[in-house]
Amino acid sequence: MSKSSPGPTPGFLVWRLANRWRVAVDRALAPLGLTHAQYTLVASLHGMRRAGERPSQRRLADHLGMEALYVSKLARALESAGLVERARDPRDPRAVQLSLTEEGQAVTRRAVAVVQELLERLLEPLGGLDAPRTRAFTDELRTLLDAPLTPPAHHENSDETDEGTPP
């Protein structure tokens, strides 16, 4: 908690909301055999395919803001499940391109519908997906996501930290 204002910090609230969302998506997608992390990968592949792209693992990792190694692990699991195809890029033999299989496309379409319904419920307090408050909230999130984040210098004896308080 901040010493200047009572209540949880914005960082703590973002952390709580992100965890709450992840758990809700995990539960909603469990019947389809997907986790939230896997969903982000297949849904992004779905959108990129519709835009005419067949991204490399690296390109997808950059798009998702995830480590390339984690995307590779997710892609391998989804490949084993028959949802994703991994192939060498003919222009760069070091790169692996990703695409959805036919089954992957079908599962992704169902998963997108499930998550869209969940998103509508999450945003009801702001007036719904198309509400002005939701658009403003989305703009604020984009602003925060676009801001560079570098770890602060560590101070050995700093009184500025609240030990035991999550982000």
Side-chain angles (χ1 to χ4, degrees):
M1 288 198 198
S2 170
K3 292 180 181 184
S4 62
S5 65
T9 65
F12 180 74
L13 294 173
V14 168
W15 178 76
R16 286 279 317 270
L17 182 59
N19 280 311
R20 183 176 176 213
W21 178 248
R22 183 193 49 78
V23 168
V25 172
D26 278 343
R27 287 180 181 155
L29 294 178
L32 296 175
L34 293 175
T35 66
H36 183 247
Q38 291 171 329
Y39 169 77
T40 61
L41 190 145
V42 296
S44 292
L45 276 178
H46 179 69
M48 294 171 119
R49 180 187 64 82
R50 290 175 65 191
E53 269 190 79
R54 185 174 181 183
S56 67
Q57 285 184 169
R58 166 61 65 191
R59 165 85 177 91
L60 188 59
D62 291 345
H63 173 78
L64 294 170
M66 292 180 175
E67 294 292 328
L69 190 59
Y70 187 51
V71 168
S72 176
K73 179 181 172 182
L74 289 171
R76 286 179 193 275
L78 291 163
E79 181 182 40
S80 293
L83 303 178
V84 167
E85 183 178 273
R86 299 169 70 247
R88 291 281 171 207
D89 185 335
R91 297 165 304 202
D92 181 356
R94 298 168 298 159
V96 174
Q97 288 182 317
L98 301 174
S99 60
L100 293 171
T101 63
E102 282 190 40
E103 181 183 354
Q105 290 175 40
V107 168
T108 300
R109 282 192 295 273
R110 290 195 310 269
V112 166
V114 167
V115 172
Q116 190 68 27
E117 182 181 318
L118 190 59
L119 185 58
E120 288 284 350
R121 290 198 337 241
L122 173 74
L123 296 172
E124 276 177 13
L126 299 180
L129 190 57
D130 296 321
R133 285 183 66 197
T134 298
R135 285 192 297 275
F137 178 62
T138 301
D139 289 343
E140 297 291 355
L141 290 172
R142 279 194 186 108
T143 298
L144 293 174
L145 287 169
D146 289 343
L149 231 128
T150 55
H154 181 68
H155 301 294
E156 285 290 321
N157 297 320
S158 176
D159 290 337
E160 299 298 312
T161 63
D162 289 329
E163 292 186 27
T165 302

